[in-house]
Amino acid sequence: MAEKFSDDVITAVMTINNALKEPGNNEKFELMLAGLMMRDDLNQREADDIKDFQQLFITLKEKDKIRPGKIKPLLKGLGDIGRQDLQRLLRDGPDGIVQGGYESKKPQTKKPQTAREVPVGPSTAPNPVMPPSEEIMGEDLSQCFFVVVEHVGRDWRFLGRQLNLRQFDFDQIVEQHPRNLREQVQTMLELWKDRYRTKATKASLVAALRKCRMNLAADMAEKTATTE
């Protein structure tokens, strides 16, 4: 069985992900990806697909470029952009927060976007297609899903049943991702979110995890931030 990263590392990855999403950090993240490509840790196609630090962490893990106790590519990447505070956080865990003087910031709550006014035209004019609003989709559980994928293994179907998914759903997921356990868990969670929308909350996911006796995953999920 492959070694898993510690809870401290997973928590650090989520904190760093939030820090690098703050205004003004987009160019720095692009610089980090460029450095990783120069050191052959990523290729151009992979770099183009990576949108944030969590996705970078997952990609390097799947490529076996990082593993528990060996995270040098990520540390070098953070060094490339002068974020020694985040280096310490990733390397030392909670101790790094204290020793490095890094103060984690609460993630900014997304403000609901107001739809632009559409000029009233002839009756034949097509209706504008608007993206699903957060009011319809409910909580953003991306960080919560990241933790669950890290901690839930081959028993993901058991969790899926607690989330009211069906055997037919599981069969389709396995058919889509026959050899990738992580993608199976991620797809199952996304299917649950798409199907139940506002009813698919962090609280209901944590409750389902506890019913499955997946208490470590439940504890970690409770610590994640959500936006509404």
Side-chain angles (χ1 to χ4, degrees):
M1 182 180 295
E3 290 183 90
K4 290 186 176 181
F5 283 89
S6 69
D7 294 342
D8 285 345
V9 171
I10 300 302
T11 301
V13 168
M14 292 188 294
T15 303
I16 294 169
N17 190 66
N18 286 336
L20 294 181
K21 284 185 176 180
E22 292 175 358
N25 282 322
N26 187 56
E27 290 184 2
K28 290 184 178 180
F29 187 67
E30 294 294 331
L31 179 62
M32 182 191 302
L33 294 178
L36 289 164
M37 284 191 290
M38 288 179 61
R39 291 187 286 270
D40 293 326
D41 292 315
L42 292 174
N43 59 42
Q44 183 66 58
R45 181 182 59 80
E46 291 166 338
D48 289 342
D49 290 338
I50 293 172
K51 305 304 180 187
D52 56 31
F53 192 79
Q54 283 187 7
Q55 196 174 356
L56 172 61
F57 175 83
I58 292 171
T59 300
L60 292 178
K61 180 181 177 183
E62 290 177 345
K63 286 168 62 73
D64 203 31
K65 292 290 186 178
I66 60 172
R67 61 186 66 177
K70 296 182 180 180
I71 53 174
K72 187 176 291 185
L74 289 175
L75 295 176
K76 283 187 175 181
L78 291 169
D80 289 340
I81 60 174
R83 293 304 300 264
Q84 284 74 22
D85 55 337
L86 300 182
Q87 272 186 327
R88 286 189 289 267
L89 173 62
L90 183 60
R91 184 183 62 236
D92 303 330
D95 292 337
I97 299 176
V98 177
Q99 296 169 6
Y102 178 81
E103 182 179 356
S104 60
K105 297 181 180 180
K106 294 179 67 176
Q108 296 179 346
T109 303
K110 293 182 180 178
K111 296 181 179 179
Q113 296 182 346
T114 56
R116 295 180 180 178
E117 293 185 3
V118 180
V120 178
S123 58
T124 56
N127 292 326
V129 178
M130 303 298 291
S133 68
E134 292 179 359
E135 184 178 351
I136 295 174
M137 294 306 297
E139 297 176 0
D140 178 0
L141 299 178
S142 56
Q143 290 193 20
C144 198
F145 287 176
F146 175 74
V147 168
V148 174
V149 170
E150 285 294 314
H151 288 82
V152 174
R154 298 187 180 278
D155 292 332
W156 63 270
R157 294 175 185 81
F158 186 31
L159 174 61
R161 292 187 183 95
Q162 295 296 327
L163 297 173
N164 295 319
L165 299 181
R166 301 162 297 184
Q167 184 62 43
F168 173 76
D169 299 322
F170 306 148
D171 293 342
Q172 280 198 322
I173 290 170
V174 173
E175 184 177 348
Q176 291 173 8
H177 308 287
R179 295 182 179 85
N180 193 324
L181 180 60
R182 293 175 58 85
E183 285 296 332
Q184 290 171 3
V185 181
Q186 181 72 32
T187 303
M188 180 267 291
L189 293 170
E190 291 174 352
L191 173 62
W192 169 67
K193 180 63 178 172
D194 289 343
R195 183 171 294 171
Y196 292 98
R197 300 201 173 191
T198 55
K199 293 182 180 179
T201 62
K202 182 170 78 171
S204 60
L205 178 56
V206 168
L209 287 165
R210 296 206 184 281
K211 286 182 180 179
C212 299
R213 299 185 182 276
M214 299 175 180
N215 291 319
L216 176 59
D219 291 342
M220 292 296 296
E222 281 186 322
K223 297 176 184 177
T224 61
T226 58
T227 56
E228 297 182 356

